[in-house]
Amino acid sequence: MMSDFHRERARKAVSLMRRIGVDALLLFPGADIGYFTGFSIGPSERLSAALIPVDGDPVLVVNELERELRGQRPWIDRVEVWREHEDPVRLLADSISRRGLAESAIGLAEDAPWGWVNRLQGLLPAARFVDVSRRLSAVRMVKTPRELDWMRRACDIADRALQHAFDQMHPGMTERELAAAITTEMRHLGGGQTFCTVLFGERAALPHGGASDRRLRPGDSVLVDAGTTVHGYWSDITRTVFYGEPTPRQQELYEVVYEANRAAFEAVRPGATCESVDAAGRRVIADAGLGDYFIHRLGHGVGLQIHERPYIVKGNRLGLESGMTFTIEPGVYIVGEIGIRVEDTVVCTDGGCERLTKHRRTSTFYPAQG
Ligand code: ZN
Ligand code: ZN
């Protein structure tokens, strides 16, 4: 039963709360509430919340519209409903008080809506709200075999959609057209939510640029960053290929980034710190004299959110564990010239690291037509 998965996750979280002296978990819409209860709901101006006391009965508080919980079957069966004209924060405060938690430590995640929490604090002046994001992440970061299967499928869909699109490249095609081809193919292959960025040539030096009407020309590099979900779990992949045989300069830059990807991959094993993996990739780029052009962290956790813990970044001493999923995505961005990134979604394993995205990552070019 699916609800057993969520109940088991909640049990782990509750035992962590007990250990740090927190009396209840209060979850608002976002990735955590779905993960720990089985009731998935995104942010809205209408309050929804899950209250899970360390001892005592959990409850879902929802608007009357959500009385049937969108047909989902969370393990929490008690539902308290507020109607449109009622004040949901007051109802939640009453529910907390009735459970004897008005003077307790209540654990929240960092994405809890400040407005609601601030009003709750006003109604429950003796309650102490505690940020337990790191503890909740400690549970969510380590994926079960079933979650890994979903991520493998999400990665496989992205791999195949990229290849499908690369095979259609032709002169004059716009970034938007290539992005649309990838998005359509990911949906066609069964992906849920999707994202896709396509950047040609010098435009790829703007890592967060969006696809434009820039047309493909022979000699361009083509950077594609895309992903999709299976059962809510994301894939995230970037490939940079060349349209026409790369120049020695393009080839040289590519090899550095690819080597950084490999070095970081080799550094992953249980117990290695996140910052040591970042350093392993960064060293390769710095040694090639390109350190100033690698302007972001090496990677980020992936799961129910496309960016989540663990962050693979300098200063993060967190030790990796088998089952943690994250990206390895070194890049160089030379404004006015080119951007190159090679990104994989990976999982830390007992023996080291496994790549979940498998699309060819060695330097690849597609013959330019016309
Ligand atoms: Zn990406
Ligand atoms: Zn990424």
Side-chain angles (χ1 to χ4, degrees):
M1 275 281 289
M2 201 52 219
S3 57
D4 293 341
F5 169 86
H6 303 289
R7 188 198 304 265
E8 176 52 29
R9 304 284 98 191
R11 237 180 239 140
K12 273 188 196 273
V14 162
S15 82
L16 290 175
M17 294 305 108
R18 196 186 302 276
R19 203 181 304 166
I20 58 169
V22 167
D23 305 297
L25 254 182
L26 181 58
L27 304 174
F28 292 105
D32 285 327
I33 193 169
Y35 181 82
F36 289 107
T37 72
F39 176 51
S40 285
I41 187 166
S44 155
E45 83 287 5
R46 290 192 173 100
L47 182 147
S48 303
L51 177 66
I52 307 175
V54 167
D55 299 299
D57 292 332
V59 63
L60 291 167
V61 176
V62 297
N63 182 274
E64 194 168 21
L65 278 171
E66 313 287 0
R67 183 192 291 278
E68 299 304 323
L69 305 176
R70 304 185 172 192
Q72 303 175 39
R73 295 184 171 276
W75 62 271
I76 298 174
D77 45 26
R78 178 180 295 276
V79 178
E80 289 175 9
V81 169
W82 60 275
R83 291 180 293 171
E84 294 282 54
H85 66 277
E86 293 177 323
D87 176 358
V89 178
R90 191 168 289 279
L91 188 131
L92 181 57
D94 290 346
S95 195
I96 291 170
S97 297
R98 267 202 313 283
R99 284 171 175 74
L101 296 166
E103 298 177 11
S104 301
I106 296 175
L108 298 169
E110 62 202 346
D111 59 358
W114 181 84
W116 292 340
V117 175
N118 188 48
R119 284 208 49 230
L120 264 183
Q121 182 73 86
L123 294 166
L124 302 169
R128 195 159 54 82
F129 292 98
V130 185
D131 179 358
V132 295
S133 302
R134 273 166 201 281
R135 314 276 169 167
L136 298 180
S137 296
V139 183
R140 248 180 65 195
M141 278 189 294
V142 178
K143 271 63 176 181
T144 63
R146 181 159 54 171
E147 292 172 290
L148 288 175
D149 276 350
W150 291 336
M151 290 186 66
R152 272 193 195 92
R153 282 164 56 190
C155 288
D156 181 57
I157 290 171
D159 283 347
R160 290 197 280 157
L162 253 60
Q163 191 55 54
H164 173 81
F166 288 148
D167 289 337
Q168 296 181 18
M169 289 194 296
H170 56 83
M173 188 179 206
T174 66
E175 292 173 344
R176 268 189 235 277
E177 285 165 353
L178 191 59
I182 293 167
T183 302
T184 304
E185 186 65 6
M186 288 194 292
R187 296 237 168 85
H188 174 71
L189 293 171
Q193 291 176 264
T194 60
F195 80 92
C196 182
T197 298
V198 172
L199 299 164
F200 295 157
E202 76 295 337
R203 294 210 358 105
L206 317 169
H208 278 172
S212 74
D213 290 325
R214 158 80 154 80
R215 292 182 184 279
L216 185 62
R217 297 191 291 259
D220 276 340
S221 57
V222 175
L223 185 153
V224 173
D225 188 348
T228 188
T229 59
V230 169
H231 287 283
Y233 287 81
W234 281 98
S235 54
D236 188 6
I237 181 172
T238 305
R239 289 293 181 264
T240 309
V241 299
F242 298 98
Y243 188 61
E245 199 168 343
T247 64
R249 163 79 169 167
Q250 286 172 327
Q251 185 66 22
E252 193 181 303
L253 292 171
Y254 187 91
E255 291 303 330
V256 172
V257 175
Y258 171 56
E259 189 49 41
N261 175 297
R262 291 204 323 177
F265 176 85
E266 294 297 332
V268 176
R269 62 183 177 282
T273 61
C274 291
E275 69 173 0
S276 73
V277 175
D278 178 277
R282 198 166 300 277
R283 194 174 304 124
V284 173
I285 292 176
D287 286 352
L290 299 169
D292 288 346
Y293 300 115
F294 182 16
I295 49 178
H296 55 73
R297 64 194 174 205
L298 183 92
H300 53 83
V302 192
L304 285 171
Q305 287 169 296
I306 192 151
H307 289 183
E308 59 178 40
R309 291 191 176 86
Y311 293 104
I312 312 301
V313 64
K314 183 176 176 176
N316 188 358
R317 304 249 170 89
L318 178 77
L320 293 172
E321 291 175 45
S322 182
M324 286 184 179
T325 48
F326 51 92
T327 65
I328 290 176
E329 52 178 304
V332 294
Y333 310 93
I334 305 174
V335 173
E337 183 185 350
I338 195 171
I340 293 176
R341 181 164 68 256
V342 181
E343 173 182 32
D344 288 303
T345 299
V346 306
V347 56
C348 179
T349 62
D350 292 342
C353 191
E354 177 195 338
R355 291 185 178 94
L356 304 181
T357 43
K358 300 184 193 299
H359 189 274
R360 178 186 159 104
R361 64 184 67 73
T362 49
S363 174
T364 304
F365 77 89
Y366 294 80
Q369 307 149 12

